[in-house]
């Protein structure tokens, strides 16, 4: 089964492949179709691979091989796709009852520096409201590459705040810093 997959670490695949029951040796596992062709590479164990009525079934999420083919050379060579990096905010937000609630803010990351707090509710990007991770990521990423200023509207406590977050390339945040 294919569908959108979002992760609160600012990650989204438009057409991830889900299987169940879950396989424990999922990381990098090959997903082969009935014609013995490679169709995906194992990425995660997920709680909701599918549903049957009201029952949620766990399983695995696979990255479709067709999503990897165009960027595979760059991934092998540099560890990332070529081109401009997407803007990264350092804000993890979870969907809870139709709202995006901030669950983690990377210390000294763009969101932290702009004043985002755990527990804030993300209401919108610019004038556009958001209720899902997919809406949020699409609107943030449509604002330009890493380095773009991203306007967020958040509910913080009892007040609504308009914040401008200066995004960065996430690789810069996680790059080891010299200690000398």
């Amino acid at each position: 089964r294919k569908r959108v997959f979002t992760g609160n670490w600012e990650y989204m695949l438009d057409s991830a492949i889900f299987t169940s029951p879950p396989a424990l040796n999922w990381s990098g596992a090959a997903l082969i179709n009935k014609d013995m062709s490679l169709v995906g590479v194992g990425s995660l164990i997920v709680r909701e691979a599918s549903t049957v009525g009201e029952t949620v079934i766990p399983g695995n999420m696979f990255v479709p091989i067709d999503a990897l083919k165009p960027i595979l050379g760059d991934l092998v060579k540099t560890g990332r796709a070529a081109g401009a990096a997407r803007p990264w905010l350092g804000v993890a937000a979870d969907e809870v009852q139709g709202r995006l609630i901030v669950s983690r803010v990377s210390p000294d990351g763009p969101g932290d520096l702009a004043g985002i707090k755990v527990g804030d509710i993300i209401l919108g990007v610019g004038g556009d409201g958001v209720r899902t991770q997919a809406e949020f990521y699409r609107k943030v990423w449509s604002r330009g590459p890493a380095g773009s200023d991203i306007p967020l509207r958040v509910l913080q406590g009892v007040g609504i705040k308009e914040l401008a977050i200066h995004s960065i390339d996430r690789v810069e945040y996680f790059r080891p810093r010299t200690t000398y």
Side-chain angles (χ1 to χ4, degrees), residues 21-162:
L24 298 179
N25 296 324
W26 50 268
S27 182
L31 180 61
I32 308 295
N33 68 10
K34 64 182 177 180
D35 300 322
M36 300 304 290
S37 297
L38 178 66
V39 294
V41 176
S43 182
L44 297 168
I45 290 180
V46 294
R47 289 185 190 135
E48 285 188 43
S50 63
T51 56
V52 175
E54 297 287 319
T55 305
V56 174
I57 300 171
N60 296 98
M61 188 275 287
F62 288 79
V63 176
I65 197 68
D66 291 339
L68 294 171
K69 284 178 183 176
I71 62 171
L72 187 57
D74 295 325
L75 291 176
V76 170
K77 185 177 180 181
T78 66
R80 63 188 304 175
R86 288 180 170 161
W88 183 75
L89 307 179
V91 174
D94 295 311
E95 294 177 23
V96 179
Q97 298 180 342
R99 297 281 185 216
L100 280 178
I101 309 218
V102 175
S103 56
R104 184 182 45 76
V105 180
S106 297
D108 297 322
D112 187 29
L113 297 175
I116 297 283
K117 308 277 187 228
V118 169
D120 288 356
I121 299 172
I122 299 172
L123 302 173
V125 178
D128 299 323
V130 295
R131 291 186 172 272
T132 68
Q133 289 171 334
E135 287 175 334
F136 178 54
Y137 301 148
R138 286 185 179 113
K139 290 181 188 318
V140 167
W141 296 339
S142 73
R143 293 284 178 157
S148 298
D149 289 332
I150 309 298
L152 286 191
R153 189 172 64 253
V154 301
L155 178 62
Q156 196 170 71
V158 295
I160 295 176
K161 289 191 173 184
E162 304 281 341

